[in-house]
mmCIF file of all heavy atoms in Angstrom:
data_model
loop_
_atom_site.group_PDB
_atom_site.id
_atom_site.type_symbol
_atom_site.label_atom_id
_atom_site.label_comp_id
_atom_site.label_asym_id
_atom_site.label_seq_id
_atom_site.Cartn_x
_atom_site.Cartn_y
_atom_site.Cartn_z
ATOM 1 N N ILE A 114 35.530 4.360 -15.287
ATOM 2 C CA ILE A 114 34.654 3.203 -15.129
ATOM 3 C C ILE A 114 34.752 2.285 -16.349
ATOM 4 O O ILE A 114 34.896 1.064 -16.204
ATOM 5 C CB ILE A 114 33.184 3.659 -14.917
ATOM 6 C CG1 ILE A 114 33.046 4.393 -13.582
ATOM 7 C CG2 ILE A 114 32.221 2.465 -14.962
ATOM 8 C CD1 ILE A 114 31.758 5.182 -13.415
ATOM 9 N N MET A 115 34.701 2.871 -17.542
ATOM 10 C CA MET A 115 34.642 2.033 -18.752
ATOM 11 C C MET A 115 35.972 1.325 -19.031
ATOM 12 O O MET A 115 35.986 0.314 -19.735
ATOM 13 C CB MET A 115 34.224 2.867 -19.979
ATOM 14 C CG MET A 115 32.823 3.444 -19.874
ATOM 15 S SD MET A 115 31.547 2.282 -19.325
ATOM 16 C CE MET A 115 31.117 1.463 -20.850
ATOM 17 N N THR A 116 37.090 1.854 -18.517
ATOM 18 C CA THR A 116 38.375 1.188 -18.778
ATOM 19 C C THR A 116 38.795 0.303 -17.601
ATOM 20 O O THR A 116 39.885 -0.266 -17.641
ATOM 21 C CB THR A 116 39.488 2.230 -19.057
ATOM 22 O OG1 THR A 116 39.546 3.112 -17.935
ATOM 23 C CG2 THR A 116 39.217 3.037 -20.315
ATOM 24 N N SER A 117 37.948 0.200 -16.610
ATOM 25 C CA SER A 117 38.337 -0.616 -15.445
ATOM 26 C C SER A 117 38.138 -2.096 -15.774
ATOM 27 O O SER A 117 37.125 -2.503 -16.335
ATOM 28 C CB SER A 117 37.472 -0.231 -14.246
ATOM 29 O OG SER A 117 37.726 -1.120 -13.192
ATOM 30 N N ASP A 118 39.114 -2.896 -15.347
ATOM 31 C CA ASP A 118 39.034 -4.341 -15.604
ATOM 32 C C ASP A 118 38.029 -5.025 -14.679
ATOM 33 O O ASP A 118 37.687 -6.181 -14.859
ATOM 34 C CB ASP A 118 40.423 -4.974 -15.443
ATOM 35 C CG ASP A 118 41.117 -4.501 -14.165
ATOM 36 O OD1 ASP A 118 40.563 -3.604 -13.499
ATOM 37 O OD2 ASP A 118 42.185 -5.038 -13.834
ATOM 38 N N GLU A 119 37.559 -4.307 -13.660
ATOM 39 C CA GLU A 119 36.538 -4.901 -12.782
ATOM 40 C C GLU A 119 35.547 -3.801 -12.361
ATOM 41 O O GLU A 119 35.903 -2.612 -12.399
ATOM 42 C CB GLU A 119 37.173 -5.532 -11.544
ATOM 43 C CG GLU A 119 38.010 -4.589 -10.752
ATOM 44 C CD GLU A 119 38.645 -5.244 -9.531
ATOM 45 O OE1 GLU A 119 37.897 -5.853 -8.743
ATOM 46 O OE2 GLU A 119 39.854 -5.097 -9.354
ATOM 47 N N PRO A 120 34.337 -4.176 -11.974
ATOM 48 C CA PRO A 120 33.344 -3.160 -11.618
ATOM 49 C C PRO A 120 33.813 -2.281 -10.458
ATOM 50 O O PRO A 120 34.421 -2.755 -9.501
ATOM 51 C CB PRO A 120 32.128 -3.995 -11.213
ATOM 52 C CG PRO A 120 32.309 -5.301 -11.905
ATOM 53 C CD PRO A 120 33.793 -5.539 -11.956
ATOM 54 N N LEU A 121 33.536 -1.011 -10.591
ATOM 55 C CA LEU A 121 33.960 -0.016 -9.601
ATOM 56 C C LEU A 121 32.831 0.318 -8.654
ATOM 57 O O LEU A 121 31.652 0.247 -9.011
ATOM 58 C CB LEU A 121 34.329 1.272 -10.319
ATOM 59 C CG LEU A 121 35.738 1.368 -10.891
ATOM 60 C CD1 LEU A 121 35.764 2.354 -12.028
ATOM 61 C CD2 LEU A 121 36.678 1.826 -9.804
ATOM 62 N N THR A 122 33.214 0.741 -7.448
ATOM 63 C CA THR A 122 32.223 1.235 -6.492
ATOM 64 C C THR A 122 32.334 2.755 -6.421
ATOM 65 O O THR A 122 33.434 3.290 -6.321
ATOM 66 C CB THR A 122 32.504 0.621 -5.093
ATOM 67 O OG1 THR A 122 32.247 -0.791 -5.169
ATOM 68 C CG2 THR A 122 31.622 1.221 -4.023
ATOM 69 N N LEU A 123 31.199 3.431 -6.535
ATOM 70 C CA LEU A 123 31.185 4.895 -6.402
ATOM 71 C C LEU A 123 30.856 5.245 -4.954
ATOM 72 O O LEU A 123 29.932 4.671 -4.361
ATOM 73 C CB LEU A 123 30.132 5.533 -7.302
ATOM 74 C CG LEU A 123 30.170 5.196 -8.795
ATOM 75 C CD1 LEU A 123 29.135 6.050 -9.549
ATOM 76 C CD2 LEU A 123 31.561 5.429 -9.376
ATOM 77 N N VAL A 124 31.626 6.178 -4.394
ATOM 78 C CA VAL A 124 31.397 6.596 -3.015
ATOM 79 C C VAL A 124 31.162 8.106 -2.957
ATOM 80 O O VAL A 124 32.084 8.887 -2.737
ATOM 81 C CB VAL A 124 32.599 6.196 -2.109
ATOM 82 C CG1 VAL A 124 32.248 6.401 -0.630
ATOM 83 C CG2 VAL A 124 33.052 4.782 -2.353
ATOM 84 N N PRO A 125 29.924 8.535 -3.210
ATOM 85 C CA PRO A 125 29.630 9.962 -3.123
ATOM 86 C C PRO A 125 29.452 10.388 -1.658
ATOM 87 O O PRO A 125 28.626 9.822 -0.955
ATOM 88 C CB PRO A 125 28.305 10.120 -3.879
ATOM 89 C CG PRO A 125 27.980 8.763 -4.443
ATOM 90 C CD PRO A 125 28.743 7.763 -3.654
ATOM 91 N N ILE A 126 30.244 11.379 -1.248
ATOM 92 C CA ILE A 126 30.115 11.883 0.134
ATOM 93 C C ILE A 126 29.790 13.385 0.120
ATOM 94 O O ILE A 126 30.111 14.109 1.051
ATOM 95 C CB ILE A 126 31.365 11.541 0.983
ATOM 96 C CG1 ILE A 126 32.665 12.006 0.308
ATOM 97 C CG2 ILE A 126 31.422 10.047 1.261
ATOM 98 C CD1 ILE A 126 33.937 11.790 1.160
ATOM 99 N N GLY A 127 29.201 13.818 -0.991
ATOM 100 C CA GLY A 127 28.717 15.194 -1.124
ATOM 101 C C GLY A 127 27.373 15.120 -1.850
ATOM 102 O O GLY A 127 26.822 14.032 -2.050
ATOM 103 N N PRO A 128 26.859 16.254 -2.301
ATOM 104 C CA PRO A 128 25.632 16.243 -3.107
ATOM 105 C C PRO A 128 25.805 15.364 -4.366
ATOM 106 O O PRO A 128 26.925 15.191 -4.852
ATOM 107 C CB PRO A 128 25.446 17.721 -3.471
ATOM 108 C CG PRO A 128 26.120 18.463 -2.351
ATOM 109 C CD PRO A 128 27.320 17.630 -2.003
ATOM 110 N N LEU A 129 24.688 14.860 -4.885
ATOM 111 C CA LEU A 129 24.773 13.821 -5.921
ATOM 112 C C LEU A 129 24.744 14.367 -7.360
ATOM 113 O O LEU A 129 24.517 13.602 -8.304
ATOM 114 C CB LEU A 129 23.639 12.812 -5.692
ATOM 115 C CG LEU A 129 23.896 11.981 -4.429
ATOM 116 C CD1 LEU A 129 22.607 11.323 -3.929
ATOM 117 C CD2 LEU A 129 24.970 10.914 -4.674
ATOM 118 N N THR A 130 25.026 15.633 -7.535
ATOM 119 C CA THR A 130 24.936 16.263 -8.857
ATOM 120 C C THR A 130 25.794 15.551 -9.912
ATOM 121 O O THR A 130 25.306 15.227 -11.015
ATOM 122 C CB THR A 130 25.378 17.743 -8.762
ATOM 123 O OG1 THR A 130 24.906 18.307 -7.534
ATOM 124 C CG2 THR A 130 24.869 18.544 -9.948
ATOM 125 N N ASN A 131 27.067 15.316 -9.610
ATOM 126 C CA ASN A 131 27.950 14.662 -10.603
ATOM 127 C C ASN A 131 27.465 13.264 -10.960
ATOM 128 O O ASN A 131 27.530 12.846 -12.122
ATOM 129 C CB ASN A 131 29.377 14.518 -10.061
ATOM 130 C CG ASN A 131 30.097 15.841 -9.905
ATOM 131 O OD1 ASN A 131 29.764 16.806 -10.585
ATOM 132 N ND2 ASN A 131 31.093 15.865 -9.040
ATOM 133 N N ILE A 132 27.025 12.535 -9.938
ATOM 134 C CA ILE A 132 26.629 11.141 -10.163
ATOM 135 C C ILE A 132 25.368 11.100 -11.030
ATOM 136 O O ILE A 132 25.260 10.274 -11.946
ATOM 137 C CB ILE A 132 26.390 10.402 -8.819
ATOM 138 C CG1 ILE A 132 27.567 10.600 -7.860
ATOM 139 C CG2 ILE A 132 26.098 8.922 -9.047
ATOM 140 C CD1 ILE A 132 28.877 9.970 -8.281
ATOM 141 N N ALA A 133 24.446 12.018 -10.762
ATOM 142 C CA ALA A 133 23.213 12.076 -11.568
ATOM 143 C C ALA A 133 23.556 12.390 -13.015
ATOM 144 O O ALA A 133 23.040 11.766 -13.963
ATOM 145 C CB ALA A 133 22.264 13.115 -10.994
ATOM 146 N N LEU A 134 24.434 13.361 -13.219
ATOM 147 C CA LEU A 134 24.824 13.724 -14.595
ATOM 148 C C LEU A 134 25.482 12.532 -15.285
ATOM 149 O O LEU A 134 25.195 12.219 -16.440
ATOM 150 C CB LEU A 134 25.782 14.928 -14.564
ATOM 151 C CG LEU A 134 25.123 16.262 -14.221
ATOM 152 C CD1 LEU A 134 26.177 17.340 -13.940
ATOM 153 C CD2 LEU A 134 24.196 16.717 -15.352
ATOM 154 N N LEU A 135 26.369 11.867 -14.573
ATOM 155 C CA LEU A 135 27.044 10.705 -15.144
ATOM 156 C C LEU A 135 26.037 9.662 -15.622
ATOM 157 O O LEU A 135 26.126 9.157 -16.759
ATOM 158 C CB LEU A 135 27.957 10.065 -14.088
ATOM 159 C CG LEU A 135 28.587 8.722 -14.461
ATOM 160 C CD1 LEU A 135 29.706 8.918 -15.475
ATOM 161 C CD2 LEU A 135 29.117 8.001 -13.222
#
Side-chain angles (χ1 to χ4, degrees):
I114 294 166
M115 296 314 276
T116 56
S117 173
D118 46 353
E119 57 180 308
L121 276 155
T122 293
L123 306 186
V124 190
I126 53 176
L129 290 161
T130 322
N131 291 336
I132 310 294
L134 288 169
L135 172 75

